Amino acid sequence: MAFFSLTSVIAQQKIGLNYYLPQTTYNPKIPTPESVLGFQVGKWHVSHDKLVQYMYALANASDRVSIENRGKTYEDRPLLLLTITSPENQQHLEAIRKEHLKLSDASQSSSVAISSMPLVIYQGFSIHGNEASGANAALLVAYYLAAAENDEVNELLNTTIILFDPTYNPDGMQRFSSWVNEHKNQHLTSDNNDREYNEAWPRGRTNHYWFDMNRDWLVSQLPESQARIKSFHQWKPNILTDHHEMGTNATYFFQPGIPSRTHPLTPKLNQELTSKIGEYHAKALDKIGSLYYTKESFDDFYYGKGSTFPDINGGIGILFEQASARGHIQQSANGTITFPFAIRNHVTTALSTLKAGKELRTQLLEYQRNFYKNTQKEIAKDKNKGIVFGDAADKNKTYQFAAMLQRQHIHFNKLKSALKINGKRFSANDSYIIPENQPNYRMVKAMFEKRTSFKDSLFYDVSAWTLPLAFDLDYGYTTTTASIGNEVTTLAPPKGTVTAKSNYAYLLEWNDYNAPKTLYGILDKGLRAKVAMKPFTLQGKNYDYGTIMIPVQNQNRTNDDIYKALKNIAENSGVTINAVTTGLTTKGINLGSSNFMTLQKPKVAVLVGDGITSYDAGEVWHLLDTRYAMPVTKLDTKNLSSMDLRKYTAIIMPNTTGNTLNAATENLKTFVKNGGILIGYRNSLKWLNSQSFIKLSFKKVKPKTANITFGQRQDFRGAQVIGGAIFEANIDRSHPINFGYHHNKIALFRNTTLFVKTDSVSNYKYPIRYTDKPLLSGYISKENLKAISGTLPFKTEKLGNGKVVVFTDNTNFRAFWYGTNKLMMNAIFFGKFM
């Protein structure tokens, strides 16, 4: 009861800086947060613009602080980074940075004098915008570092470079702060039912396109991540912190996470040092009386998270999780949680991190040096000397993969000559080779590894992410360095072109990742286009299923206009459009064949709002909007029953239970029966089946529970979950859903346990089907592995004049599954031909 009373008083009454910060002398010339914001931290949730205003005010007032704007979010908000250190260090930052980077180069690190080298600590806050106590704590921590005047702070600043990222997620932070502030009472209520604590969809966790950015560190597909990763590799910090919030009924968590769920590529010493640093957090939280726990949840397995990414880069990543007020004050199992209380805990551990870094400085620097020295020993043991990757038929996808490597400072080279590995041919012009002898060897291993055996059967996130499989990119290992050519230092996107002006027709191959962008651009210009349902050979070139033909005659444009339009579209998309002078082929269908089907310009909508998984909807929105330059309409589920859907050619239904769609059932059915294409994902399949949109039969898996104890029940249930693994499927390339793929197998991401059974002996009805032994990488229980064999990840059926197309899993996962994006695009463009 005393705890309740204290926190209630704190929430209702004015509090001062002494509640948050250590008692010491502060430089009066440095502005306090309150003097700039107009309120004390914790009274309101600071908006991003106010946070930016304060950080610039701090940098202008203090010679300890420098500031840079590293770029923009999708909503054009600045991505700030403060560098905080002593005035003396500020004068020599570039020299300090270059010397520090030598630690990650085994050929230079022995000569580095770590006894006098500053430690580098990257402190970041609130990558989830509605976990706001972190970003609000950043105001206070930055003030303390700029203004506190005592020997301990002076020593800290002399021996530490602090890279200070006040909010990882400006767009989500702004969205959430607006919500909670506009619903705040003058007389605070801690009632969890209040609107303040129940955000409207999609909530503030995510960025503009509703991505969870704490899964993007490794693949770096988003602008916020790319700016952050650039800063990371410019400095290679020894510690990186990631301040989060969790459920209101929790207390406070700091790493290490569950020991058995640490990735095997992470050195054991990494976890030992994390535990040592944890002792500082425990002592600091004990001092203010805050409850906490460690090693009981979360993990260090997926390197795409902020707290795990440093572990593969010679640093220590630390996750902090604070029980969330998710507003200003809430009831909890541990009493009343106030916003100031949550902020204070994050301030406390931010400062304890700095103290740990100062006192463990030489150990952490030595660890980083040895991490890269030991990497050289591992390289020497590895029989493989390089990894070759590339796809001559898809230069844009190859470029995107190479660009991702380059963002992570992974060196790769041109091939000296063509290679053939495991039956796959890699041309010197369209492929690259990654030498394994390089500082980021472990990250390369993490990106390319296929792992199917694990210490633990539970995962906080995905258990597999093998990136060449995610990109559907050919790759292979070589045991010699003979094919390694010159290093690629500059990387340019593919140049698009039209090979010549034609008076007959133009042909666009469907293999390239940007082919859908090109096709939409063609149709958007009012040009008529057709798709080839069969392959053919023309003027010495083979054209596969899905080739797009643009005839010159009977268009509403002159020949010159058509050429100019196609040239502009090709250059913008980075693809080649071939001009042909005849319709008479040497093999296969002729250009006037009825096996060329006329295409319609798509008008696409995606369902959003209550009941829809925002991540999945955002991935669709992002793909169409940013990569394929296709306008997409977002249809809110609350209005769906009364909407006129006739204007759309395709509606995408992301993951949903369907509970919010029942009132719109007939409207959606009418849309399909009138010729529309409805594309459903994941759990929407159950609803579509129950509402008779499509007939599906699901396998039921019943694991044996006879020997499971009460204490084991949660782990047992968790082991039946497919948290994210990769599976192999056979594909029928002649089916429109598979146009553009040139192999007979495909790697599919899966994180559901929806196993769709076949209902016919006719193979043509199953153009994508899991192989008998489908597991490529990741964890799946024995029961589920047996069940998935031979099941269907895709199915389509006719309903009236339209089509229902369903996928058991997400083809657009987290923006890095380039390899299956085309499945959805094929459904959009070619669905009516399936």
Side-chain angles (χ1 to χ4, degrees):
M1 183 61 71
F3 177 72
F4 179 91
S5 300
L6 175 62
T7 54
S8 296
V9 168
I10 291 167
Q12 300 284 353
Q13 295 184 359
K14 180 177 173 62
I15 58 174
L17 286 174
N18 60 350
Y19 174 71
Y20 297 113
L21 296 174
Q23 297 287 334
T24 189
T25 301
Y26 289 90
N27 184 345
K29 295 181 180 179
I30 305 301
T32 64
E34 185 176 12
S35 70
V36 174
L37 303 179
F39 57 87
Q40 183 57 272
V41 175
K43 180 179 181 181
W44 298 94
H45 282 247
V46 70
S47 60
H48 183 257
D49 57 314
K50 285 282 190 180
L51 180 140
V52 169
Q53 181 185 4
Y54 180 68
M55 293 303 162
Y56 273 107
L58 208 57
N60 289 335
S62 173
D63 57 1
R64 298 175 179 179
V65 182
S66 54
I67 193 168
E68 62 177 305
N69 179 7
R70 300 168 293 171
K72 294 180 179 181
T73 69
Y74 282 116
E75 296 178 12
D76 285 337
R77 292 191 173 86
L79 295 165
L80 299 185
L81 183 72
L82 284 68
T83 302
I84 306 175
T85 187
S86 68
E88 174 69 16
N89 286 341
Q90 288 283 358
Q91 299 301 313
H92 304 95
L93 277 180
E94 184 59 13
I96 293 170
R97 185 185 73 83
K98 288 180 177 178
E99 189 70 8
H100 185 268
L101 286 179
K102 291 179 181 178
L103 290 178
S104 56
D105 183 346
S107 67
Q108 301 185 73
S109 63
S110 296
S111 63
V112 175
I114 62 174
S115 60
S116 58
M117 174 178 280
L119 194 76
V120 180
I121 299 179
Y122 192 120
Q123 292 191 293
F125 304 85
S126 299
I127 200 165
H128 297 142
N130 60 2
E131 299 175 6
S133 55
N136 284 263
L139 296 160
L140 296 155
V141 177
Y143 169 73
Y144 174 80
L145 294 172
E149 295 182 327
N150 58 56
D151 291 342
E152 184 176 356
V153 171
N154 290 336
E155 183 185 357
L156 168 70
L157 296 175
N158 285 330
T159 58
T160 312
I161 307 294
I162 303 162
L163 306 176
F164 198 82
D165 197 331
T167 174
Y168 286 136
N169 183 3
D171 294 348
M173 175 191 177
Q174 186 70 22
R175 191 184 317 135
F176 180 67
S177 64
S178 296
W179 176 269
V180 291
N181 287 338
E182 71 185 23
H183 292 102
K184 179 188 175 186
N185 296 330
Q186 287 188 22
H187 300 282
L188 300 182
T189 174
S190 62
D191 185 344
N192 310 73
N193 292 327
D194 190 87
R195 185 170 169 81
E196 178 182 348
Y197 312 118
N198 295 278
E199 297 171 77
W201 195 98
R203 292 168 282 280
R205 178 181 177 89
T206 51
N207 78 341
H208 175 77
Y209 285 103
W210 310 332
F211 281 92
D212 182 339
M213 292 196 297
N214 197 36
R215 305 296 185 267
D216 195 48
W217 289 73
L218 185 65
V219 294
S220 59
Q221 297 299 307
L222 307 170
E224 300 93 336
S225 306
Q226 291 170 11
R228 191 165 60 243
I229 293 302
K230 184 177 180 181
S231 299
F232 183 95
H233 287 299
Q234 282 177 335
W235 279 96
K236 286 282 199 288
N238 301 96
I239 299 174
L240 182 144
T241 61
D242 191 12
H243 289 258
H244 286 251
E245 290 180 357
M246 54 184 167
T248 301
N249 288 321
T251 57
Y252 196 91
F253 170 85
F254 54 84
Q255 282 183 312
I258 296 173
S260 62
R261 301 178 197 169
T262 301
H263 197 286
L265 288 172
T266 299
K268 183 179 178 182
L269 183 55
N270 172 284
Q271 296 295 288
E272 293 173 1
L273 286 169
T274 305
S275 292
K276 275 190 175 183
I277 295 169
E279 292 172 10
Y280 287 81
H281 307 323
K283 186 175 180 180
L285 291 169
D286 285 342
K287 187 174 180 180
I288 62 172
S290 290
L291 297 174
Y292 57 85
Y293 69 101
T294 185
K295 297 184 180 181
E296 295 178 38
S297 62
F298 304 101
D299 65 34
D300 278 314
F301 191 82
Y302 174 44
Y303 290 120
K305 296 186 300 174
S307 56
T308 313
F309 178 77
D311 300 345
I312 201 67
N313 285 284
I316 308 293
I318 302 176
L319 169 69
F320 298 110
E321 295 273 358
Q322 162 64 44
S324 179
R326 208 54 110 229
H328 292 88
I329 181 172
Q330 270 204 76
Q331 298 167 359
S332 84
N334 294 298
T336 304
I337 300 291
T338 70
F339 191 39
F341 175 81
I343 292 170
R344 183 175 67 162
N345 281 342
H346 272 325
V347 170
T348 299
T349 55
L351 298 182
S352 64
T353 298
L354 296 173
K355 183 174 183 179
K358 177 172 70 73
E359 297 185 5
L360 301 175
R361 179 178 61 83
T362 56
Q363 291 183 53
L364 291 163
L365 292 169
E366 190 66 48
Y367 168 76
Q368 188 173 51
R369 174 158 60 188
N370 289 335
F371 178 93
Y372 288 98
K373 281 189 173 182
N374 292 333
T375 294
Q376 288 300 122
K377 297 176 183 177
E378 293 179 21
I379 292 170
K381 295 177 185 176
D382 196 330
K383 65 178 182 179
N384 295 314
K385 302 306 175 185
I387 306 173
V388 183
F389 70 91
D391 188 341
D394 194 342
K395 294 181 180 181
N396 275 290
K397 190 172 62 179
T398 302
Y399 163 76
Q400 290 295 343
F401 191 86
M404 178 183 65
L405 297 179
Q406 203 167 62
R407 288 193 294 271
Q408 296 292 5
H409 286 215
I410 291 172
H411 304 300
F412 56 93
N413 298 47
K414 296 292 290 183
L415 276 178
K416 280 185 179 178
S417 57
L419 278 181
K420 196 171 185 179
I421 303 174
N422 297 328
K424 296 176 181 177
R425 186 180 184 279
F426 297 91
S427 72
N429 292 330
D430 303 299
S431 304
Y432 301 102
I433 183 168
I434 304 169
E436 295 210 354
N437 187 6
Q438 62 174 292
N440 277 337
Y441 166 84
R442 293 197 205 204
M443 188 187 289
V444 173
K445 299 293 282 187
M447 286 180 164
F448 281 80
E449 73 165 7
K450 291 197 288 187
R451 186 179 296 273
T452 56
S453 60
F454 304 88
K455 275 187 178 182
D456 205 319
S457 57
L458 300 179
F459 300 86
Y460 183 71
D461 202 75
V462 296
S463 63
W465 54 87
T466 313
L467 295 184
L469 296 182
F471 276 67
D472 187 40
L473 196 61
D474 289 343
Y475 74 107
Y477 292 86
T478 176
T479 56
T480 175
T481 60
S483 298
I484 300 177
N486 295 328
E487 183 175 350
V488 177
T489 55
T490 58
L491 188 68
K495 292 183 177 179
T497 186
V498 179
T499 57
K501 180 183 172 184
S502 174
N503 293 320
Y504 191 82
Y506 298 91
L507 297 174
L508 166 68
E509 295 177 273
W510 196 244
N511 306 100
D512 195 274
Y513 183 81
N514 280 358
K517 178 181 181 180
T518 311
L519 176 57
Y520 184 82
I522 291 167
L523 297 172
D524 191 46
K525 290 293 184 183
L527 294 172
R528 193 172 72 261
K530 294 186 173 186
V531 60
M533 303 300 286
K534 293 185 178 181
F536 57 94
T537 301
L538 180 60
Q539 296 180 334
K541 183 174 178 60
N542 296 324
Y543 292 90
D544 208 347
Y545 298 102
T547 296
I548 305 301
M549 188 258 292
I550 306 98
V552 173
Q553 300 303 314
N554 299 322
Q555 300 273 16
N556 293 323
R557 288 172 174 260
T558 66
N559 293 7
D560 286 343
D561 285 345
I562 293 171
Y563 171 71
K564 289 177 182 176
L566 293 178
K567 187 173 183 292
N568 182 62
I569 293 166
E571 290 174 350
N572 189 46
S573 300
V575 302
T576 297
I577 297 176
N578 296 310
V580 295
T581 58
T582 178
L584 185 62
T585 62
T586 54
K587 185 178 179 181
I589 60 174
N590 294 313
L591 298 198
S593 169
S594 60
N595 283 297
F596 275 94
M597 311 301 292
T598 300
L599 294 169
Q600 177 185 10
K601 176 184 169 182
K603 173 66 175 174
V604 182
V606 58
L607 302 188
V608 302
D610 290 341
I612 301 292
T613 299
S614 59
Y615 297 159
D616 297 39
E619 287 156 1
V620 172
W621 178 23
H622 174 267
L623 178 68
L624 295 175
D625 193 26
T626 70
R627 293 188 182 165
Y628 291 137
M630 291 175 59
V632 56
T633 300
K634 299 176 288 297
L635 305 178
D636 199 302
T637 54
K638 66 183 178 183
N639 303 318
L640 190 60
S641 62
S642 59
M643 287 180 181
D644 181 359
L645 304 180
R646 290 174 296 179
K647 65 181 75 173
Y648 308 110
T649 61
I651 294 176
I652 299 167
M653 183 182 292
N655 184 53
T656 178
T657 61
N659 292 337
T660 58
L661 299 177
N662 291 330
T665 301
E666 289 308 313
N667 201 21
L668 284 169
K669 278 190 177 179
T670 299
F671 161 76
V672 179
K673 289 176 180 178
N674 287 340
I677 302 165
L678 182 61
I679 304 168
Y681 280 100
R682 301 177 66 202
N683 287 309
S684 72
L685 274 65
K686 293 181 180 179
W687 185 81
L688 291 167
N689 181 58
S690 69
Q691 300 298 319
S692 301
F693 281 83
I694 189 171
K695 185 177 181 181
L696 301 170
S697 179
F698 299 100
K699 276 189 181 180
K700 293 182 179 180
V701 179
K702 293 183 178 180
K704 297 177 181 178
T705 60
N707 297 318
I708 303 300
T709 67
F710 180 81
Q712 295 170 330
R713 73 195 189 286
Q714 286 187 329
D715 286 354
F716 176 78
R717 291 170 186 162
Q720 305 310 312
V721 172
I722 302 175
I726 305 171
F727 299 88
E728 182 181 65
N730 293 316
I731 66 171
D732 173 2
R733 295 199 312 109
S734 71
H735 194 284
I737 196 64
N738 296 317
F739 284 179
Y741 292 97
H742 52 87
H743 294 310
N744 293 322
K745 295 184 186 298
I746 191 171
L748 300 173
F749 174 80
R750 168 175 275 266
N751 62 356
T752 73
T753 52
L754 294 174
F755 305 125
V756 177
K757 295 191 288 187
T758 60
D759 55 10
S760 170
V761 294
S762 302
N763 284 334
Y764 71 85
K765 293 185 67 176
Y766 311 125
I768 310 177
R769 186 173 181 175
Y770 286 115
T771 59
D772 291 338
K773 295 180 179 179
L775 181 62
L776 292 173
S777 187
Y779 170 80
I780 184 173
S781 69
K782 291 179 180 178
E783 298 89 344
N784 285 332
L785 181 58
K786 182 178 179 181
I788 193 176
S789 175
T791 59
L792 307 177
F794 161 86
K795 192 177 181 184
T796 182
E797 281 186 3
K798 188 176 181 181
L799 181 63
N801 292 321
K803 290 291 176 67
V804 179
V805 176
V806 295
F807 297 95
T808 59
D809 287 271
N810 189 353
T811 60
N812 311 304
F813 186 64
R814 291 182 180 168
F816 75 88
W817 266 86
Y818 281 77
T820 51
N821 287 157
K822 193 166 283 180
L823 294 175
M824 186 183 79
M825 302 314 296
N826 286 346
I828 289 171
F829 282 108
F830 313 135
K832 66 181 181 179
F833 308 130
M834 295 178 184

